[in-house]
């Protein structure tokens, strides 16, 4: 107590609660998160820069990055400034007294808070608009660069008389600008409405005036700009009609020309007048006239934009559509054939015969050695089992077809690269060092002669083994860049240092593995701590910082697949889905066809790229599916080459007249080499691209017709047949198309066989008979490269299509009997049918199909070629060699020039009906006895009877079995026993 007043005890200090310290902690955490995001962005950008510099294409990186930054800054700033300016204007012109009370007491506090911290709020809004607008704009860098570097086509469209370049380059960029204009004005309007609402300048609940005078002015200007942009959109829509899809085709139709086009012009004028009324509202301060103008615009859009075209279509066009649309169909046909490179496609009538004379066969004898028997989509497992060497090596599911000079003659060759696949390492060998520093590369090329088989049915290899030996010459065998390469590998080291990269499992004379140290120019140096930190962050792998295997001379290899490297080196290209390897000038390279595409070629028919290129091989193994996008223009403008050892990417201009290619060459100067720089050795391995061919054959199914009346009637519509050898899966909703085939053949007007890409057509109706055969010269060194030749078959002669021929093969008694041992449930094997090839021969069309046998149980099974099936006209035959099968089907000796690799010589082809009957009867008896022995569990007798059955079947086949040399039953004929379905 002091001075009569009790002293109050000191208040104890409040204990610091855990919730108070985070006031300082939260900003720290937020700062760290921002720094981590910025470092992640920096890591991605900087490692991309290092990657591009490693392939000497730093200019591509700088051009793309510079363009993206420019668009980000310009559009982002414009959007941020516009939105912030409207917020500031709305704030500064706020009324002293709100037009109506706020909807809740707490609502006004938001306005007070924003007023107190206005700079922060403005900064947040500006930052958001900058990021939003800039991010959207930076994604349009391709459209901007194409517009900025546009090249005239030298061809005008058929309606507006403008150069095609306007539609391909200018129109898309104008659409982008229009979209940004809409976004900027709409966001500004939203920001102005919110600001005026917060400060009482705009209250829809007010009984009288709902917006202050300043709010009306601001809203009027922004709405006027929005309607003005709509007027510009109507004007731009006129050009968009040239690539719009109507019921019949892409382009302006009769209704589009006589109703939609004039309605767009009228609506553009009305929209301009309506915008003027909104601007006038700045002075008059009444919403009556702008409201009336808006109603007029909406009603006009309904009447002129919807009802008028619908009425015209129903009343004038539909009753006489073929006449009204004829001229527009002609424009579509002409433009489509131009845009897809189909102008030179020839359609000739081919009076296909169903029988051939010996003289006709003699004339075509030089074609026969080019018939490829080895199916690249089947023998992948055979390559793997016979040439894998070690379990960590692998081959793709689908191999590739190329041409090599072997024994002085150029022959079709099935080829693949032996790649390393670390996922196949045993679990005990999986660790970071092995995955990323030891098993770094594949080794060697394996190739097989396309028209030969060994005595046991395996391919005859022209290049094989480790180290590689064969007839393809000397080359650098190490495959550091391929379709199955590891995600990243650490390679290289100091000179004289210890090698750790596995080269071959054994030395040249056996013994210990041979090791290698990468000394190629490819890869990014990772010796410095800074680069190690960047790549440890990029791949989220601390071992890159901690491992002693990373030394000052180390390099990191990543982004290693051929398609991936081409997509990054030329981001304006669409690469083919199937790169293929070749030995060129002593190096293994990957050849990738690059396409320039557009969806804005006037009047050209649009197609979905993924649908047009899809067949039974698409998406299988390493064959990529094309993106889901619409195109109506395509050119194989670039041949890209990726070195399998050092990863270098070379781009060669192939279609040097392509304006789209010229445009991108201006945007990225000195990145594409001229066509004249292609070496003769590389030229020998270039071929017609498969995906572009698929798009073209899809269109030629309809656009082989050039008469508008026939085109409209669809009376001559074709389609690509379904692949008869495909095994349908539960996910297949529709049958997949038969893939095209690379094949050396001679068309009727050609003096000698040519390496070609081929396909067939059947009628669009439910029928499966053949209606046309098509081939394009695929040899890049040929003067006729890229020339389409289409053989139209007569409509009064039934030429079987692939499905019907395959059905014949399955139901023919001789073939069924020959395949019986392979298709028995307990035989331990199954028949696998290869590609069904079609080619003109002897005045008709010959079908050839290899049949493989595959063991169904046990490890290490792989397909071996057992029989060759052939069909000509109504006759089918089979043999252990192509020569044998052809001799049977033509009833005359046929020399294919085939080296059967030690198979039995062709049997005596003299009639031996009695021998055949006896042999088949003995085979049937042996089969019955074998089944009885199996039911009794007598496996020894079962095996003995199976061998007796096989021997009897072989005797029948050697005698030229009667069922295979006489006409097969027509598809309507019911066989005496159910057909044997192929398995696989």
């Amino acid at each position: 107590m002091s001075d009569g007043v009790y002293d109050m005890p000191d208040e104890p200090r409040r204990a610091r609660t855990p919730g108070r310290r985070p006031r300082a902690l939260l900003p720290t955490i937020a700062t760290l998160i921002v720094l981590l995001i910025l470092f992640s962005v920096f890591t991605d950008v900087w490692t991309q820069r290092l990657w591009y510099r490693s392939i000497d294409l730093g200019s591509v990186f700088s051009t793309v990055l510079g363009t993206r930054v420019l668009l980000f800054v310009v559009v982002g700033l414009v959007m941020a400034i516009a939105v912030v300016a409207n917020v500031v204007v709305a704030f500064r012109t706020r009324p002293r007294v709100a037009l109506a009370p706020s909807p809740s007491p707490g609502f006004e506090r938001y306005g007070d808070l924003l007023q107190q911290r206005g700079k922060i709020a403005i900064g947040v809004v500006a930052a958001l608009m900058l990021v939003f607008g800039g991010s959207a704009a930076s994604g349009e860098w391709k459209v901007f660069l194409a517009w900025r570097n546009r090249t005239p086509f030298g061809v005008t469209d058929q309606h507006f008389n403008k150069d095609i370049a306007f539609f391909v380059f200018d129109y898309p960029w104008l659409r982008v600008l229009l979209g940004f204009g809409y976004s900027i004005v709409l966001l500004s309007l939203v920001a102005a409405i919110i600001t005026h609402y917060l400060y009482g300048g705009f209250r829809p609940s007010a009984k009288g005036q709902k917006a202050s005078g300043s709010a009306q002015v601001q809203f009027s200007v922004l709405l006027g700009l929005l309607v003005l942009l709509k007027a510009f959109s109507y004007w731009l829509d006129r050009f968009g009609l040239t690539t719009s899809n109507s019921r019949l085709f892409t382009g302006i139709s009769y209704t589009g020309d006589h109703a939609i086009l004039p309605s767009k012009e009228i609506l553009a004028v009305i929209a301009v007048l309506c915008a003027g009324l909104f601007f006038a509202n700045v002075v008059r301060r009444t919403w009556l006239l702008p409201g009336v103008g808006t109603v007029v615009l909406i009603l006009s859009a309904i009447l002129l934009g919807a009802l008028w075209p619908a009425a015209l279509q129903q009343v004038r066009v539909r009753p006489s559509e073929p006449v009204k649309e004829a001229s527009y169909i002609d424009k579509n046909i002409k433009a489509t054939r131009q845009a897809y490179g189909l102008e030179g496609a020839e359609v000739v009538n081919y009076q296909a015969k169903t029988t051939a004379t010996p003289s006709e066969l003699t004339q075509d004898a030089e074609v026969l050695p080019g018939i490829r028997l080895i199916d690249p989509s089947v023998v992948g497992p055979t390559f793997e089992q016979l040439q894998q060497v070690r379990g960590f090596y692998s081959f793709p599911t689908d191999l590739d077809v190329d041409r090599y000079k072997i024994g002085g003659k150029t022959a079709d060759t099935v080829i693949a690269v032996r790649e390393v696949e670390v996922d196949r390492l045993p679990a005990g060998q999986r660790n970071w060092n092995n995955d990323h520093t030891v098993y770094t590369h594949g080794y060697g090329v394996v190739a097989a002669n396309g028209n030969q088989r060994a005595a046991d049915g395996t391919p005859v290899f022209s290049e094989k083994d480790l180290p590689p030996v064969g007839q393809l010459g000397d080359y650098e065998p190490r495959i550091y860049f391929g379709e199955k390469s590891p995600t990243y590998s650490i390679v290289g080291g100091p000179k004289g240092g210890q090698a750790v990269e596995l080269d071959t499992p054994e030395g040249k004379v056996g013994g210990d593995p041979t090791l290698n140290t990468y000394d190629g120019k490819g890869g990014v140096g990772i010796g410095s701590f800074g680069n190690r930190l960047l790549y440890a962050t990029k791949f989220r792998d601390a071992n890159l910082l901690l491992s002693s295997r990373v030394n000052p001379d180390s390099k990191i290899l990543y982004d290693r697949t051929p398609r991936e490297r081409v997509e990054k080196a030329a981001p304006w290209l669409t690469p083919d889905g199937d790169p293929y390897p070749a030995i060129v000038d002593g190096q293994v390279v990957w050849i990738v066809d690059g396409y320039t595409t557009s969806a804005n070629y006037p009047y050209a028919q649009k197609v979905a790229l993924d649908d047009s290129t899809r067949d039974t091989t698409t998406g299988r193994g390493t064959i990529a599916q094309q993106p889901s996008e619409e195109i109506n223009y395509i050119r194989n403008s670039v041949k890209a080459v990726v070195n399998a050892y050092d990863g270098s990417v070379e781009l060669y201009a192939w279609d040097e007249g392509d304006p789209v290619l010229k445009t991108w060459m201006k945007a990225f100067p000195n990145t594409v080499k001229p066509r004249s720089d292609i070496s003769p050795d590389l030229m020998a391995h270039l071929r017609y691209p498969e995906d572009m061919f698929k798009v073209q054959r899809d269109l030629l199914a309809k656009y082989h017709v050039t008469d508008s009346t026939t085109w409209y009637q669809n009376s001559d519509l074709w389609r690509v047949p379904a692949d008869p050898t495909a095994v349908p899966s539960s996910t297949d909703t529709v049958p997949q198309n038969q893939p095209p085939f690379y094949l050396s053949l001679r068309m009727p007007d050609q003096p000698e066989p040519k390496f070609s890409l081929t396909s067939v057509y059947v009628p669009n109706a439910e029928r499966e008979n053949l209606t046309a055969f098509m081939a394009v010269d695929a040899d890049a060194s040929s003067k006729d490269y890229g020339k389409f030749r289409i053989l139209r078959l007569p409509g009064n002669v039934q030429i079987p299509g692939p499905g019907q021929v395959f059905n014949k093969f399955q139901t023919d008694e001789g073939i069924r009997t020959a395949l019986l041992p392979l298709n028995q449930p307990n035989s331990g094997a199954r028949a696998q049918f290869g590609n069904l090839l079609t080619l003109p021969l002897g005045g008709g069309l010959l079908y050839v199909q290899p049949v493989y046998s595959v063991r169904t149980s046990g490890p290490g099974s792989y397909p071996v070629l057992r029989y060759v099936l052939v069909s000509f006209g109504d006759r089918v035959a089979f043999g252990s060699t192509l020569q044998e099968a052809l001799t049977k089907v033509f009833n005359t000796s046929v020399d294919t020039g085939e080296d059967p690799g030690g198979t039995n010589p062709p049997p005596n082809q003299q009639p031996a009906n009695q021998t055949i009957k006896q042999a088949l009867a003995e085979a049937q008896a042996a089969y019955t006895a074998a089944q009885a022995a199996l039911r009794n569990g007598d496996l020894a007798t079962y095996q003995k009877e199976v061998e007796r059955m096989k021997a009897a079947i072989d005797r029948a086949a050697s005698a030229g079995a009667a069922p295979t040399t006489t006409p097969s039953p027509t598809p309507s004929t019911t066989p005496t026993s159910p057909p044997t379905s192929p398995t696989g």
Side-chain angles (χ1 to χ4, degrees), residues 33-49:
I33 291 174
V34 171
L35 289 175
L36 286 174
I37 293 174
L38 291 176
F39 181 71
S40 177
V41 172
F42 171 78
T43 296
D44 181 64
V45 172
W46 198 256
T47 53
Q48 291 284 1
R49 174 180 176 270

Side-chain angles (χ1 to χ4, degrees), residues 52 57-67 141-142 145-146 149 568-573 651 660-673:
Y52 276 98
L57 286 175
S59 62
V60 175
F61 171 81
S62 59
T63 299
V64 173
L65 180 62
T67 305
W141 66 269
K142 290 184 184 178
L145 279 180
N149 298 278
K568 292 185 68 173
W572 41 275
L573 279 178
L651 305 174
V660 181
L661 173 61
K662 292 179 180 179
T663 294
W664 290 117
M665 289 177 68
K666 288 193 288 185
F668 298 97
N670 303 318
T671 59
V672 181
K673 297 182 178 181

